[in-house]
Amino acid sequence: MKAQVIEQFGEATEFKTVDLPIPEVIPNHVLIRVLATSVNPVDYKIRGGIVPDIAPDFPAVLHGDVAGIIEKVGEGVNNFQPGDEVYGCAGGVKGMGGALAEYMLADAALIAKKPKSLNMPQAAALPLVSITAWEGLIQRAQIRSGQTVLIYGGTGGVGHIAVQLAKSRGAKVYATVSNSQKAEIARQLGADEVINYRKQSVESFVNQHTDGKGFDIVFDTVGDDNLQNAFQAAALNGIVISTVSLSTQDLTLLHVKGLSLHLVFMLIPMLHNLGRSNHGEILTKLAQLVDEGKIRPLLDSKSFKFNQIADAHHYAELGKAVGKVTLVV
């Protein structure tokens, strides 16, 4: 099979097309004929050598997100059969081949049947970001109807799903954005109020929207020092969720406000073979929400072919994409 691989860490130009053996099907796994994938920040961080400890062995086939058709099923797989259209985040990290190839071997626990209402690129845009948002809002924060939820990065990968998930659970949703174009997108996704963080301080919008009390749940998808803003925006005894907290922080506000902090790292089941079925179950529930019209992926207007992988990574790293960057076979 044809695959896009890297043989060392570096820039996006490190990708090269090679021939690799089609993976052998093993018990409890399926072989997927890959039709689409999407770019997540972890993909270009692995490629760039920023997180070498979680990288696959060279020559490395990257990318976790996949949408495609099952070609073969292994012993012990009873819930899928050849011909099923599926999606998932199922590889591209240490010990697991990724989706930048014509075929991908995937643990059946990590995938689900694709939403019927989506095409392959749309489905491939969902898994990593949706699982992350679901784990944070539903499994960790246990979001309830009537709560106020502030989502930093309301049109980002995780953020745009978090906005819709929170809305589907009956929360009042506030989303931060950087410009008027993204503000309109956030409203279309279901945000009740949109905040331009470049024009308004945390203190100002907390006073405006909560009478100074703060938000019940704050979902930080920005990380680094923005965690301090999240602590400031949270209500007393509130909940802060972060997906990017590889930093040193002052926990004073966390303490004096009695906050709970939840850190979500959705790759743990893949890296440690721990609780993988949770991801398949999330994706199954997500597909139902998608087909009910409650969740939709936001895709950037630019789409790439697999042999344009270097261009896709470069474009995603620029940070100018509005929505997920996808690749199709």
Side-chain angles (χ1 to χ4, degrees):
M1 66 176 183
K2 298 291 184 185
Q4 302 292 330
V5 305
I6 59 168
E7 296 178 341
Q8 62 183 13
F9 298 126
E11 300 298 323
T13 50
E14 290 295 334
F15 282 108
K16 59 179 63 177
T17 305
V18 302
D19 288 309
L20 293 178
I22 296 174
E24 293 289 333
V25 183
I26 58 177
N28 302 314
H29 286 63
V30 299
L31 184 68
I32 300 172
R33 178 159 57 88
V34 179
L35 295 179
T37 183
S38 70
V39 184
N40 292 295
V42 71
D43 298 320
Y44 51 76
K45 288 178 181 177
I46 291 174
R47 187 216 71 227
I50 297 172
V51 283
D53 290 347
I54 67 171
D57 293 336
F58 298 127
V61 181
L62 305 184
H63 280 223
D65 280 344
V66 63
I69 299 172
I70 290 183
E71 194 84 1
K72 296 179 181 178
V73 299
E75 182 183 349
V77 177
N78 301 311
N79 51 337
F80 298 106
Q81 60 187 10
D84 284 346
E85 296 184 337
V86 295
Y87 76 138
C89 184
V93 294
K94 193 174 185 66
M96 308 177 75
L100 289 177
E102 291 179 303
Y103 294 93
M104 180 183 185
L105 182 68
D107 187 330
L110 292 168
I111 65 170
K113 292 181 180 176
K114 177 183 75 66
K116 295 181 176 64
S117 57
L118 298 186
N119 61 29
M120 290 293 177
Q122 290 171 326
L126 282 174
L128 185 148
V129 295
S130 299
I131 292 168
T132 301
W134 193 290
E135 288 185 347
L137 283 173
I138 294 176
Q139 295 183 337
R140 301 292 189 87
Q142 298 181 3
I143 187 171
R144 302 187 307 276
S145 178
Q147 287 184 306
T148 56
V149 180
L150 173 66
I151 296 164
Y152 274 99
T155 61
V158 174
H160 87 279
I161 299 297
V163 166
Q164 296 174 86
L165 267 184
K167 192 67 179 175
S168 75
R169 289 296 172 117
K172 185 164 186 181
V173 182
Y174 302 77
T176 70
V177 297
S178 60
N179 58 47
S180 58
Q181 177 196 12
K182 292 181 178 180
E184 181 56 32
I185 293 170
R187 290 189 185 96
Q188 292 172 1
L189 292 169
D192 296 288
E193 300 286 348
V194 180
I195 299 158
N196 187 326
Y197 67 86
R198 290 179 173 169
K199 295 183 176 180
Q200 199 170 12
S201 68
V202 177
E203 182 180 11
S204 172
F205 68 68
V206 167
N207 286 333
Q208 177 184 346
H209 295 294
T210 71
D211 293 326
K213 296 177 182 178
F215 301 90
D216 298 320
I217 299 172
V218 180
F219 199 146
D220 172 40
T221 69
V222 178
D224 296 328
D225 290 339
N226 193 63
L227 260 181
Q228 294 300 318
N229 295 329
F231 296 161
Q232 187 180 349
L236 296 176
N237 296 319
I239 296 172
V240 175
I241 310 158
S242 177
T243 62
V244 275
S245 54
L246 301 173
S247 58
T248 300
Q249 296 293 326
D250 181 349
L251 302 185
T252 302
L253 274 176
L254 195 71
H255 179 84
V256 299
K257 296 176 81 169
L259 304 178
S260 299
L261 175 62
H262 295 276
L263 307 179
V264 178
F265 185 39
M266 68 79 63
L267 297 180
I268 284 175
M270 284 190 282
L271 291 170
H272 303 284
N273 193 12
L274 179 69
R276 289 182 176 181
S277 61
N278 181 49
H279 283 191
E281 291 163 5
I282 289 173
L283 291 173
T284 298
K285 294 173 184 175
L286 181 78
Q288 183 176 346
L289 289 176
V290 171
D291 289 336
E292 290 173 354
K294 295 177 180 177
I295 303 285
R296 63 180 176 90
L298 178 63
L299 271 62
D300 188 79
S301 58
K302 284 190 177 182
S303 183
F304 298 83
K305 302 293 186 184
F306 267 44
N307 60 5
Q308 297 174 307
I309 179 61
D311 293 334
H313 267 228
H314 179 67
Y315 180 67
E317 286 180 279
L318 288 175
K320 295 182 179 179
V322 180
K324 293 293 298 293
V325 176
T326 55
L327 297 102
V328 296
V329 175

